Amino acid sequence: MSCYLEHPEYLDKSLMYKTHITHQAYDFKTLRNLMAKATPSRSGDYLAGVGAVNNLERVAAQWVLADVPLKQFLNEALVPYEQDEITRLIIDEHDGSAFAAVSHLTVGDFRNWLLSEHATTEILTAIASGLTPEMVAAVSKIMRIQDLILVAKKCRVITRFRNTIGLENRLSTRLQPNHPTDSPAGVAAGLLDGLLYGCGDAVIGINPASDNIEATLRLLHMLHDVIERYQIPTQSCVLTHVTTTLKAIEQGAPVDLVFQSIAGTQKANDSFGINLDLLNEARLAALELGRGSLFENGTLGDNCMYFETGQGSALSANAHQGLDQQTCEARAYAVARKFKPLLVNTVVGFIGPEYLYDGKQIIRAGLEDHFCGKLLGLPMGCDVCYTNHAEADQDDMDMLLTQFAVAGGTFIMGVPGADDVMLNYQSTSFHDALYVRQVLGLRPAPEFEQWLQQHGIFNAENQLQQRPDVPVLFKSSLQNLSE
Amino acid sequence: MSDSNEPTTTEDPWHNLKQFTPARIALGRAGMSLPTSACLDFQLAHALARDAVNIPLDFAGLEQRLNVHGFQTLTLQTQAENQSVYLQRPDLGRLLSASSMACLQHSALIPFDAVVVVADGLSSTAIEHHAEPFLSLLLPELQRKDYRLPPVCLVKHGRVAIGDAIAEHYAASLCIVLIGERPGLSSPDSMGIYFTYQARSGISTDADRNCISNIHDNGLSYQQALKKLLFLVDEAEKLQLSGINLKDQTTDTAPNDLQKQANFLLN
């Protein structure tokens, strides 16, 4: 059933989503349908039955979408206001004065403006709160890869907990030392390997094998102790359900970042067992711990949330509400934005070929997500990744990794040898991070960079220090081990 | 010109950490990149995993082996007709085919307490290796609890939610699904267990389920998995629910030598 039949108040009746192209008439009827039809081809939209049936229909939709005024996205909700708390969040917290600078533009003009010299870093920062997820999703649908890269690179989003993430010419890494059974020694081995390769400034974040409170507590204490003992300017996270993290906080655990997977419809978040109130409760509980650093300017590092998203997650919960998966994804960023996260990670290729079929679809999706997130003011990282049942390989990952870093991506994952032995997928390795830093001259977060250099892991040029032995800092821990 | 005596790669002097993890650590480097051997090693593993995704499960063989244990079985098929459709249409992998529905309708319709479903999922080798030995531990435990069990349902091209329809059909409050997890490079045969209390087809969501994953030779043992599952079953009966409000509070006992060196970074 179409949106306007259910909710006539959302349709600006004067606006018709019709066109004629090469003797073919198209009537897309609703903005929701128009958005889906205009989306570059991907398997998840076909699975949902919302994608364009052929190339001509897609381009026709893109032409029509280009003429839609940005204002229309405030008039025509893609998911009904009274049914969905994310729509309410988007509409109720829309910043009209920030929007004023671009409120006269159509989607097509908005693309032109974003590419122009008028859209500077300062101005893009100033309008972020005036943009809605649907507006940025719409413009991304008529942008090429180079457009997505060029505009995203102009955005600057800086966040802080114990270090400073997102500065120009910096690329951070999440150290992800997962182990199939959460064995502390196994986690420690991966962790040390990563630190010795200069990885871990975004976060040291572990996906536990089970959502078990005891394992979560053990890992939280271990990460806290390692960070304290070696004075590492970074933060930790155990990526467990927000309710488990809340329980851990209640039991006095040293929680730095609160993790949660989030999606772009209320129904999808219901299926994750979360809502806005619960996320708010968790954020306040973590803030109360006050574990961020006090920075020189007198402010406390208070970005204490870590969110993960990914195109297709709403559909996989059968909660996409007729939206295309990229628009759904952008709506998840409205949820993220409300809670001032340190990091947002689009886990782009994790979900599998039923949503993003091959390397080409994964690459474009990763760059779209980064663009949309950055334009909305989020510290966007990307888990450049794929599964073994997708039509993708290491070459595809190298292309996305390189393009993501050129676009000014905030952080990537660091997994030993790119092989996550717990989650069973391939991400980026410590070596991958060093490669991309090397070719593009990118540096880690400044506080972490200083620590790496101070302990002789990196030299002054931010290359791995040539040495016959491990750095003094870790020597004694390794000496006690049996061969 | 390169000096013929100079090594082309740099080794990492922390090889001894490999005893603690199957992860690809201490790979060394060529410049700051992967050395050739590590690079090709990865490509080899990827080739094996890619090929494994498409190997079909030998359902007849599995059925036979379970029957030898005295376990009755029923082989069903989802609406995903082949592997390619299965990969792109998860929705069809959650629905039984018409003939399988008919087959279920014919089977006895007395009320049952628990259903055990085995689906090939994304790794047929996981089910090939682990389903029979795990069921030979699990089913006697369930029988000891006096649970009435229908035949073990083996489902071709099944997703996790296929268990919901089967549990609903048998009016069983406990639904246990064994499924092949997406193959990893180092663990192409990892099995997962999904447990749902009062599963309802089309209504139960991921938030209603508890998952025990990574059951394979280098992961969770059968005994550990069984302990967790039986804990969840008992708690679910007590609390009348499963999913995010049912927390796994079992303790994992790690082998002593690992325990001893657990915190080598913190000694």
Side-chain angles (χ1 to χ4, degrees), chain A residues 103-274:
Chain A
S103 63
H104 59 292
L105 299 175
T106 61
V107 172
D109 289 336
F110 185 43
R111 174 183 171 279
N112 293 331
W113 180 84
L114 285 169
L115 295 168
S116 78
E117 60 279 14
H118 301 298
T120 60
T121 300
E122 292 68 35
I123 288 175
L124 289 174
T125 307
I127 67 163
S129 59
L131 300 176
T132 67
E134 289 85 353
M135 292 175 194
V136 300
V139 76
S140 78
K141 292 177 194 299
I142 58 165
M143 291 170 93
R144 288 169 50 194
I145 294 258
Q146 63 168 268
D147 303 341
L148 297 172
I149 291 175
L150 190 146
V151 176
K153 191 169 175 65
K154 292 198 276 187
C155 298
R156 188 135 314 286
V157 180
I158 294 163
T159 55
R160 284 179 145 181
F161 192 74
R162 277 194 205 108
N163 55 20
T164 312
I165 308 283
L167 293 169
E168 195 170 10
N169 294 321
R170 307 262 176 184
L171 174 74
S172 294
T173 51
R174 166 189 163 191
L175 176 44
Q176 183 172 312
N178 294 341
H179 185 274
T181 59
D182 300 331
S183 141
V187 168
L191 201 168
L192 182 56
D193 195 57
L195 289 174
L196 291 171
Y197 270 91
C199 186
D201 51 339
V203 62
I204 302 174
I206 300 174
N207 301 86
S210 79
D211 198 6
N212 173 321
I213 182 76
E214 188 190 286
T216 301
L217 290 171
R218 196 170 56 201
L219 290 168
L220 280 168
H221 281 286
M222 177 190 167
L223 290 180
H224 164 80
D225 292 348
V226 169
I227 287 173
E228 281 278 298
R229 163 99 173 246
Y230 298 99
Q231 290 293 300
I232 311 168
T234 190
Q235 38 281 328
S236 73
C237 187
V238 174
L239 285 74
T240 184
H241 194 270
V242 64
T243 52
T244 305
T245 303
L246 268 169
K247 276 211 171 78
I249 292 176
E250 275 168 29
Q251 297 188 23
V255 171
D256 288 349
L257 303 185
V258 174
F259 166 80
Q260 184 55 46
S261 287
I262 54 171
T265 67
Q266 180 178 335
K267 200 176 164 201
N269 284 332
D270 280 347
S271 89
F272 292 172
I274 61 157

Side-chain angles (χ1 to χ4, degrees), chain A residues 89-107:
Chain A
L89 171 69
I90 293 166
I91 299 297
D92 295 350
E93 300 198 359
H94 180 251
D95 180 347
S97 57
F99 181 54
V102 292
S103 63
H104 59 292
L105 299 175
T106 61
V107 172

Side-chain angles (χ1 to χ4, degrees), chain A residues 31-64:
Chain A
L31 191 50
R32 180 176 59 182
N33 183 49
L34 179 68
M35 291 279 275
K37 296 291 189 184
T39 306
S41 167
R42 64 206 53 187
S43 50
D45 289 338
Y46 297 118
L47 176 62
V50 301
V53 296
N54 56 36
N55 292 318
L56 186 60
E57 187 184 30
R58 179 174 301 110
V59 176
Q62 290 173 339
W63 273 102
V64 175

Side-chain angles (χ1 to χ4, degrees), chain A residues 197 466-469, chain B residues 7 9-15 26-30 35:
Chain A
Y197 270 91
Q466 288 291 349
R467 55 166 65 253
D469 204 352
Chain B
T9 59
T10 305
E11 292 221 1
D12 294 329
W14 53 89
H15 280 265
L27 296 178
R29 55 197 176 87

Side-chain angles (χ1 to χ4, degrees), chain B residues 129-145:
Chain B
H129 294 168
H130 307 305
E132 180 216 330
F134 183 75
L135 288 177
S136 69
L137 296 175
L138 171 67
L139 292 173
E141 288 290 340
L142 295 178
Q143 284 158 352
R144 201 164 303 146
K145 289 173 183 286

Side-chain angles (χ1 to χ4, degrees), chain A residues 189 192-193 195-197 230 452 455-458 465-481 483, chain B residues 10-17 26 29 264-265:
Chain A
L192 182 56
D193 195 57
L195 289 174
L196 291 171
Y197 270 91
Y230 298 99
L452 290 171
H455 294 289
I457 297 171
F458 275 5
Q465 183 84 270
Q466 288 291 349
R467 55 166 65 253
D469 204 352
V470 292
V472 177
L473 183 64
F474 295 108
K475 215 169 209 167
S476 63
S477 317
L478 285 174
Q479 266 166 354
N480 297 332
L481 290 176
E483 273 301 324
Chain B
T10 305
E11 292 221 1
D12 294 329
W14 53 89
H15 280 265
N16 53 356
L17 293 184
R29 55 197 176 87
F264 70 85
L265 274 177

